[in-house]
Amino acid sequence: MKFLLIMTLCPMFFFSQKKDTIENNLLSLHYNANNDLFRVVVEKTGKDFTGWGKFKSHDGMEYRYYENNKLVYLDFRDFNDKIIKRVLYCNNYRNCLEELEFYDYNIKMVKRRYFICVDVDNEGEIVENKCGKYSEYYRNSKLKVSGQYQNNKEIGRWIYYDTNGKISQEINRSK
């Protein structure tokens, strides 16, 4: 009888859970209708998470770091658990991500730094476009390229530098 009761109630429990909640051992992430994270809860206590912690995806490729009930940044890792890209949420624009790519998995050696604007198109699909400032660096940390993006298009003044940091080329791209 107990087995029959469990088999009947378990599906009801799982399907009644919110689709917008991700659970991982200690943390439960809650999103609102706009897909904004609004609450991080400690599973054992049911209280708001107020410290520093991480959520590891099931495939181990994505780590999300939280502090005081807010998502701080995401790290994307390769199969050897090395960081290949870090994504931060922009402070000044709600639907903006700052992306950093690294040389040799070293977070102190930035290869590229750019911004992604996230929007929803007429069909309800999420659209990501490069926007704002773009920077690319040599392994010696000297600037290689700087410019601006708008809707995935290079706009304005783009400056290219040699390995010593001297300007080698300037191109003005029309809007």
Side-chain angles (χ1 to χ4, degrees), residues 138-152:
Y138 289 105
R139 285 183 173 277
N140 65 6
S141 299
K142 299 262 186 194
L143 192 58
K144 183 177 185 179
V145 179
S146 68
Q148 293 275 333
Y149 272 96
Q150 186 175 39
N151 292 325
N152 268 353

Side-chain angles (χ1 to χ4, degrees), residues 16-172:
S16 69
Q17 296 293 309
K18 290 184 177 182
K19 289 182 188 176
D20 55 0
T21 301
I22 301 171
E23 296 176 9
N24 181 41
N25 295 336
L26 301 175
L27 300 178
S28 178
L29 313 179
H30 301 267
Y31 295 86
N32 64 19
N34 295 326
N35 207 26
D36 296 324
L37 178 71
F38 74 92
R39 190 168 181 217
V40 181
V41 176
V42 178
E43 286 294 308
K44 288 181 181 176
T45 64
K47 295 182 180 179
D48 283 350
F49 179 70
T50 57
W52 175 260
K54 71 179 176 182
F55 170 87
K56 181 178 178 183
S57 64
H58 296 290
D59 62 7
M61 305 299 271
E62 179 183 322
Y63 285 70
R64 298 178 187 178
Y65 296 85
Y66 300 91
E67 185 174 28
N68 296 324
N69 217 16
K70 293 193 189 268
L71 179 63
V72 180
Y73 63 89
L74 296 90
D75 280 342
F76 294 90
R77 298 172 182 249
D78 68 4
F79 292 110
N80 296 316
D81 203 31
K82 305 281 187 177
I83 298 171
I84 53 176
K85 182 164 70 170
R86 178 166 286 169
V87 177
L88 302 106
Y89 287 88
C90 304
N91 291 329
N92 59 345
Y93 184 59
R94 189 175 148 256
N95 296 333
C96 174
L97 304 172
E98 179 181 0
E99 298 199 7
L100 300 164
E101 296 176 16
F102 306 105
Y103 281 111
D104 304 324
Y105 314 112
N106 183 345
I107 60 171
K108 293 179 181 175
M109 292 180 59
V110 176
K111 184 177 187 178
R112 284 184 200 89
R113 180 177 182 243
Y114 53 92
F115 296 88
I116 300 290
C117 293
V118 181
D119 207 351
V120 178
D121 67 12
N122 294 335
E123 285 88 41
E125 297 292 320
I126 294 175
V127 178
E128 296 181 354
N129 291 309
K130 282 186 183 175
C131 61
K133 186 177 178 182
Y134 174 89
S135 305
E136 193 169 332
Y137 301 88
Y138 289 105
R139 285 183 173 277
N140 65 6
S141 299
K142 299 262 186 194
L143 192 58
K144 183 177 185 179
V145 179
S146 68
Q148 293 275 333
Y149 272 96
Q150 186 175 39
N151 292 325
N152 268 353
K153 293 182 179 155
E154 296 176 356
I155 62 165
R157 187 171 152 207
W158 281 71
I159 305 172
Y160 297 83
Y161 302 86
D162 64 19
T163 55
N164 296 316
K166 296 197 188 256
I167 295 174
S168 62
Q169 185 179 15
E170 286 187 54
I171 299 174
N172 196 2

